[in-house]
Amino acid sequence: MDPVIKVTDLRKNYGGLRAVNGVDFEIGRGECFGLLGPNGAGKTTTVKMLTCALPLSGGDITVEGMSVNKDPRGIKYILGVCPQEVNLDPDFSVLKNLLVYSRYFDIPYSEARKRAVELIDRFHLHDKLERPIEDLSGGLKKRLLLARALINRPRVLILDEPTTGLDPQSRRQIWDEVRGMKSNGLTTLLTTHYIEEAELLCDRLVIVDAGKIVEQGTPQELILKHLDGKGNLEDVFLKLTGRNLRDE
Amino acid sequence: MNKICVLQEVSYRAWHMWRRNIDVSLVTWKTNVLPPLLEPVLYILAFGIGLGAYVQKISFDGRAYDYLTFLAPGMIAVGVMFHATFDTMYGAFVRLRYQKTFDAIINTPLSAEDILAGEILSGGTKGLFAGAAILLIVTLFGLASYPSSLIILPLSALAGLMFASFGLYFAAQAPYIDNLNLPIFLFINPMFLFSGTFFPLDGMPGWVRLTAELLPLTHLVNITRAATFGRLHAGLFRDLVYILVLAVIVACLSINKMKARLIK
Ligand SMILES: Nc1ncnc2c1ncn2[C@@H]1O[C@H](COP(=O)(O)OP(=O)(O)O)[C@@H](O)[C@H]1O
Ligand SMILES: [Mg+2]
C-alpha cells in the first residue's frame, strides 16, 4: 500500500542554519508515527513544511499522493493540525472558535454546529462554551486546539508537541484521546520530546537531532538494538542525541 | 511563481477571512458603530459652528458656500481614510504578531493571498461603513444634495479598499507596533490636512497643488465634494481612475509584502 505521507530528502535553511537537513520517512495508513527530538531538532519546521505553512528549501513531501509544492490546498483540506503554539482565536468564545474555523473548510453551518457540539462533549468543554479563550487553562486550550483540528474530519492528524507544558492529568487526557483516534484508524504524526509519550503512543518513530534523523524503528526495536533490550527509550534517546543541554 | 498581480491568486475563500473580521466587529459593535457617527458631530460643532463663525463664505468652483457645507464632504473622505487604514494597519498587525490568527488560518484551505485579501475586504467594509455613517449625519444636518450623494457609498467602498491596502502595507513593513507612528506622521496626517479637506486648493501655490494631486485622499475629496454639492461632472473620472489604479497596485504590493512576513 502507498504511504499516506512520504517525505523525501527534506531540507530547510534559515540563512546559514540548516534547520532540517535531509530528512526521509514514510507513514502508512492508520499508523501513529513519532518525531522525537530535543528542542531545536527541527520538528516544528518539518511539521510546518508538511502543513504547507512554510516553503521547502529542498526535497519533497506528498500527502495521499499530493505534493506540498503543487497542491497545498488539497492537502490542507484533509489535514487536522494541532500546532505547538496555541493560536486559538482570542476574539471569540470556545464554541465560536470551532464554528469560525469550520467555515474555513467550507463546512455548512448546520453541519459545523453538529460537529462542534460533538467535539465539545468529547473534550469536556461544555462548561466553557461561551467563555473567551483567555479564561481557559493551558490544558483546556490544548484540548480545544485538538478539538479544532478535528472539525474538518481529517484523514491525517498532525500533533506538534500536544502535551508540552501540561500537568499529568491533562496530559493523560490528551493521550487517551490520541489513542482513541488511533484505534479509529486515523493516521497521525506526533512530535514530542517526552520519551514516555512516544513509547506509549507511537507505532514507529524517528529520533531527530540537529535537522537529521539519527535512528528509526519501533520503540522496542530501538531498545533492543542499542541497549540489548535492557533499559528504556530514554536511555536510547540520550545515547543518540548526547547529554548536552539545548538552549534554542 | 510570482504572477504580476497577486490578486489573481485570491479565491472566494477570502470571504471567510472577511466574515471572521466582520464577526469580531459585530461582537464589539458599540466601539465600531459609535465613532463614525459621533466624530462628524464633533467636527460640525468645532469647525462649522466654532470656526465657521469667523470664516464667512468659501468660494469654490465659482460659487460661494458656507464653511460647514464646504467641510462636510471632507469629513466623509477623512472618515473613510482613517477607519479603513487603521483597521488593517493595527488590526492586521495585531493578528499577525500578537494573536497569531494568520498562523492558525494558514493551516486551513485558505492561502496567504486569501487571508490578506480578506483583510483588505474587511478594511474596505469599515471604510464603506464610515462613509455611510458620516453621510447620514451630514445629510441630517442638511449638508448633502441628492441623488448625487448616493455615489459616495460605492466610492467609500472603493476608497476603503485602497486605504485598507495602504494600512496592510504599513503593517507589513513595521517591525514593532510603535513603528506605525511613522506612516501616520508622514502620510496619514499630511493627507488629512492638505487634501482639500479643510480649505480649497485652488488658491494655493503651484507646488502645494502638485503635492496634493499626488495624495490619494485629494481625489476622494474631489469626487465626494462634487457629490454633496450636487455638481458631479465628467472631469472627475480621472480622480476615480486614480483611486482604482492605486487600489490595485497597493493591494498587490501589500499582499506580497505581508505574505513574505507570514510565510518565511
Ligand atoms: N523562523 C525562523 N528563523 C530562523 N531560525 C528558525 C526559525 N524557526 C526555527 N528556527 C531555528 O531552526 C531550528 C529548528 O527549530 P524547530 O523546528 O522549531 O525545532 P523543534 O520544533 O524541534 O524544537 C532551531 O535552531 C530554531 O532556532
Ligand atoms: Mg517545536
Side-chain angles (χ1 to χ4, degrees):
Chain A
M1 201 166 73
D2 282 344
V4 175
I5 294 178
K6 189 166 181 206
V7 175
T8 354
D9 195 28
L10 184 66
R11 289 167 191 280
K12 181 71 192 183
N13 308 326
Y14 291 116
L17 175 75
R18 298 183 171 191
V20 176
N21 191 7
V23 162
D24 301 80
F25 60 84
E26 291 184 359
I27 308 180
R29 169 95 41 217
E31 207 175 11
C32 182
F33 185 88
L35 216 55
L36 180 63
N39 283 337
K43 303 183 294 295
T44 297
T45 304
T46 303
V47 162
K48 283 193 173 165
M49 288 191 279
L50 176 60
T51 57
C52 315
L54 203 60
L56 283 56
S57 303
D60 194 16
I61 305 177
T62 61
V63 180
E64 296 201 343
M66 296 176 280
S67 164
V68 288
N69 291 313
K70 296 201 191 77
D71 194 4
R73 199 166 263 151
I75 293 177
K76 292 199 282 181
Y77 266 109
I78 63 164
L79 287 187
V81 184
C82 182
Q84 176 177 359
E85 192 177 32
V86 175
N87 56 22
L88 296 162
D89 203 323
D91 289 320
F92 296 124
S93 69
V94 168
L95 176 64
K96 188 90 197 212
N97 254 275
L98 295 177
L99 293 176
V100 171
Y101 204 74
S102 71
R103 272 209 301 254
Y104 303 138
F105 291 89
D106 301 319
I107 302 168
Y109 179 77
S110 57
E111 174 66 19
R113 185 141 188 121
K114 206 181 96 208
R115 291 188 194 181
V117 169
E118 273 169 28
L119 287 166
I120 277 166
D121 253 13
R122 181 161 146 204
F123 287 89
H124 310 289
L125 292 160
H126 17 249
D127 298 345
K128 311 282 175 184
L129 214 60
E130 301 296 338
R131 304 296 288 277
I133 298 308
E134 59 178 20
D135 285 5
L136 304 185
S137 66
L140 277 173
K141 281 184 188 152
K142 282 281 190 181
R143 252 146 65 193
L144 181 56
L145 271 183
L146 195 50
R148 189 183 73 176
L150 296 172
I151 195 88
N152 60 320
R153 304 247 163 99
R155 297 214 286 271
V156 180
L157 188 63
I158 312 291
L159 306 170
D160 193 4
E161 302 204 9
T163 64
T164 298
L166 295 189
D167 60 61
Q169 285 81 0
S170 308
R171 183 183 298 176
R172 228 148 271 275
Q173 207 168 15
I174 300 238
W175 287 349
D176 287 344
E177 279 304 327
V178 174
R179 270 188 296 201
M181 289 182 267
K182 201 174 104 180
S183 61
N184 288 334
L186 193 60
T187 308
T188 306
L189 170 71
L190 171 109
T191 85
T192 184
H193 57 240
Y194 293 124
I195 322 291
E196 75 271 31
E197 184 164 296
E199 203 161 2
L200 196 70
L201 300 176
C202 298
D203 302 313
R204 243 162 19 93
L205 55 92
V206 292
I207 297 177
V208 281
D209 194 19
K212 278 181 179 298
I213 292 180
V214 292
E215 188 54 284
Q216 54 190 312
T218 67
Q220 295 73 25
E221 279 169 5
L222 297 187
I223 295 167
L224 210 61
K225 177 171 170 193
H226 289 277
L227 307 165
D228 293 327
K230 293 187 284 289
N232 57 32
L233 196 57
E234 177 149 3
D235 301 324
V236 179
F237 182 79
L238 288 173
K239 183 177 163 197
L240 290 171
T241 60
R243 287 176 180 276
N244 296 337
L245 285 178
R246 313 300 158 105
D247 344 84
E248 269 215 73
Chain B
M1 217 176 87
N2 259 330
K3 292 198 181 168
I4 298 170
C5 173
V6 282
L7 296 180
Q8 289 168 270
E9 314 248 346
V10 175
S11 77
Y12 71 91
R13 296 173 190 82
W15 290 108
H16 294 322
M17 187 67 208
W18 174 82
R19 244 324 263 292
R20 182 229 166 256
N21 289 348
I22 298 301
D23 280 4
V24 176
S25 305
L26 292 178
V27 173
T28 56
W29 67 272
K30 279 182 209 128
T31 50
N32 295 305
V33 168
L34 292 181
L37 288 172
L38 293 180
E39 277 162 18
V41 177
L42 289 181
Y43 276 100
I44 288 171
L45 289 176
F47 290 100
I49 298 165
L51 188 65
Y54 299 92
V55 185
Q56 294 307 324
K57 289 279 180 194
I58 290 235
S59 129
F60 180 80
D61 213 8
R63 296 184 186 201
Y65 297 91
D66 59 57
Y67 188 62
L68 208 50
T69 310
F70 177 83
L71 181 70
M75 291 184 326
I76 298 174
V78 161
V80 171
M81 172 180 79
F82 275 120
H83 286 275
T85 311
F86 280 42
D87 185 65
T88 44
M89 188 158 85
Y90 286 104
F93 191 90
V94 166
R95 284 187 278 279
L96 174 81
R97 277 293 299 271
Y98 300 112
Q99 302 191 345
K100 307 284 172 194
T101 317
F102 301 154
D103 287 345
I105 303 177
I106 200 77
N107 282 332
T108 75
L110 275 77
S111 64
E113 288 85 354
D114 294 335
I115 294 173
L116 299 171
E119 286 288 332
I120 293 175
L121 284 172
S122 54
T125 307
K126 292 276 174 69
L128 166 60
F129 182 76
I134 303 170
L135 178 61
L136 175 72
I137 300 296
V138 162
T139 303
L140 292 178
F141 278 84
L143 302 170
S145 308
Y146 282 87
S148 55
S149 287
L150 288 175
I151 201 181
I152 291 171
L153 297 175
L155 184 66
S156 299
L158 175 64
L161 293 173
M162 174 183 70
F163 286 120
S165 303
F166 272 111
L168 190 64
Y169 188 85
F170 299 145
Q173 58 80 43
Y176 304 102
I177 199 156
D178 288 342
N179 297 92
L180 294 175
N181 292 333
L182 203 63
I184 295 177
F185 175 69
L186 292 177
F187 185 66
I188 306 288
N189 283 346
M191 269 206 291
F192 171 64
L193 295 167
F194 295 104
S195 296
T197 35
F198 295 106
F199 49 87
L201 294 167
D202 301 347
M204 295 293 120
W207 66 270
V208 174
R209 270 183 291 151
L210 196 70
T211 313
E213 275 294 302
L214 295 173
L215 300 174
L217 185 63
T218 304
H219 301 275
L220 178 60
V221 170
N222 286 348
I223 308 176
T224 311
R225 182 160 289 133
T228 59
F229 285 9
R231 300 190 64 192
L232 290 171
H233 57 89
L236 296 166
F237 193 68
R238 51 180 281 281
D239 295 293
L240 187 65
V241 170
Y242 179 99
I243 295 173
L244 192 66
V245 170
L246 200 62
V248 173
I249 293 173
V250 183
C252 289
L253 289 177
S254 65
I255 290 177
N256 270 333
K257 187 130 184 128
M258 197 57 149
K259 186 185 171 186
R261 219 165 142 186
L262 186 56
I263 297 183
K264 274 177 250 119

